[in-house]
Amino acid sequence: MAQKNNTTVKDINYYKKKFWKLFFYGLGVMALFFTLASWGFFGNMPSFEDLENPESNLATEVISSDGVTIGKFYNENRTPIKYEDLPPHLVKALVATEDERFYEHSGIDAKRTFGAALKLGSDGGASTLTQQLAKLLFHGEGSSFKPFRIIQKVKEWIIAVKLERQYTKNEIIAMYLNKADFVNTAVGIRSASKVYFGKEPRDLTIDEAAMFVGMLKNPSLYNPLRRAEKVRLRRNTVLDQMVRNGILDQATKDKLGQQPIVLHFHPESHKEGTATYFREFLREYMKNWAKENKKADGSDWDIYSDGLKIYTTIDSKIQEPCGRSSASPHEKPAETIL
């Protein structure tokens, strides 16, 4: 009997040693994998300079004498906004829905990542806001090929940690909302607020802010011009998350959840807006100006991506006599209730 007990103890010790050996070997392989990825072994990684000055691709604004943006030139219809100009309820809705422990982690939420790994991703990913920003800034959508996707995910983690070291939490939130695509020519929260509601982000109501946060999961699927009911249900999911995180009380959520989504849709393009003939003349003028006036480093200005602000002597009110808009006859109605 004693011999059997000794054998059992020997077997337990054997498996313990084997477990810890495999555990440390696994840690070593992961450390090596992360090190190689950070050195660019699996593809280019952003440098310190890239992290300090991520590609912005900002629209140039044409501004009237009374301070109204009457048109834009752009590759992406995106104008930046500072964190201070974001409404608090938009920021709170974003964190409550996309990354509840945003202020606690340093780029990677270990708890969510471990949970997603145990469930093999069946409940969705575990990307933090910082990881989502890394994806938007530096490598776009992930590959459908699993080995490549794993490599991209590791690179995303590394970039996220670097971003957290480089920027404050508030700066990361502002960068994320400035980069997010809300479809229908709206890139970034300021353009989205203008396009869908005809207002600045600071003027968004709680339910309007919740709609935008809901769109972030999949902007094409939750396109408010095409899938009204999906967008409304997704908005209410965001409101539920705000209740869960103590931002709203249930009574307020129930009241907001009953509200329809009322859009004041103003599509923006080079050919829409006021003073279209003048802006076309201005675009040609600015192309010549860009050739004759160089940046401090000697490179050329790009009127479609350098975020210039062109101040003109035109009065926006004079361009719309009797309060009528010069919008295209094919433009959607100004107000749409969903």
Side-chain angles (χ1 to χ4, degrees), residues 284-310:
E284 294 303 316
Y285 174 85
M286 289 303 299
K287 285 180 180 179
N288 293 326
W289 177 91
K291 293 176 183 177
E292 297 170 1
N293 297 268
K294 304 289 184 180
K295 296 182 182 179
D297 61 3
S299 61
D300 291 339
W301 289 98
D302 187 333
I303 67 170
Y304 298 105
S305 64
D306 281 335
L308 300 172
K309 293 185 184 296
I310 305 172

Side-chain angles (χ1 to χ4, degrees), residues 129-277:
L129 279 173
T130 319
Q131 287 174 245
Q132 293 179 44
L133 176 60
K135 184 190 298 183
L136 288 173
L137 288 175
F138 297 111
H139 72 73
E141 288 300 318
S143 171
S144 57
F145 185 49
K146 287 289 185 182
F148 289 168
R149 183 69 194 110
I150 291 171
I151 292 172
Q152 286 179 330
K153 200 68 179 176
V154 170
K155 292 169 69 175
E156 188 180 293
W157 288 338
I158 294 169
I159 295 170
V161 171
K162 290 183 176 181
L163 286 171
E164 289 272 352
R165 292 175 180 172
Q166 189 76 16
Y167 296 100
T168 66
K169 291 288 188 179
N170 291 353
E171 288 172 331
I172 288 171
I173 285 176
M175 290 171 69
Y176 177 73
L177 288 172
N178 280 329
K179 188 68 176 176
D181 189 347
F182 294 93
V183 299
N184 297 311
T185 76
V187 182
I189 191 62
R190 185 162 184 245
S191 290
S193 297
K194 290 276 192 176
V195 167
Y196 290 109
F197 297 114
K199 60 176 68 173
E200 291 290 340
R202 64 174 174 269
D203 299 319
L204 291 172
T205 61
I206 294 174
D207 53 310
E208 290 168 347
M211 187 199 84
F212 284 133
V213 171
M215 289 178 67
L216 293 169
K217 184 176 182 180
N218 187 328
S220 296
L221 178 63
Y222 298 108
N223 182 339
L225 296 185
R226 295 184 177 181
R227 297 180 174 88
E229 185 59 16
K230 277 185 177 292
V231 172
R232 190 185 68 81
L233 292 174
R234 177 62 184 162
R235 178 203 66 183
N236 288 355
T237 298
V238 174
L239 294 174
D240 284 333
Q241 284 297 112
M242 295 176 77
V243 172
R244 172 180 165 174
N245 285 268
I247 301 163
L248 294 179
D249 58 55
Q250 189 63 46
T252 303
K253 181 268 167 184
D254 291 340
K255 182 179 179 181
L256 292 173
Q258 293 172 4
Q259 298 294 323
I261 296 175
V262 182
L263 299 179
H264 296 268
F265 185 61
H266 299 81
E268 295 181 337
S269 76
H270 302 308
K271 296 181 180 179
E272 292 170 329
T274 58
T276 52
Y277 290 109

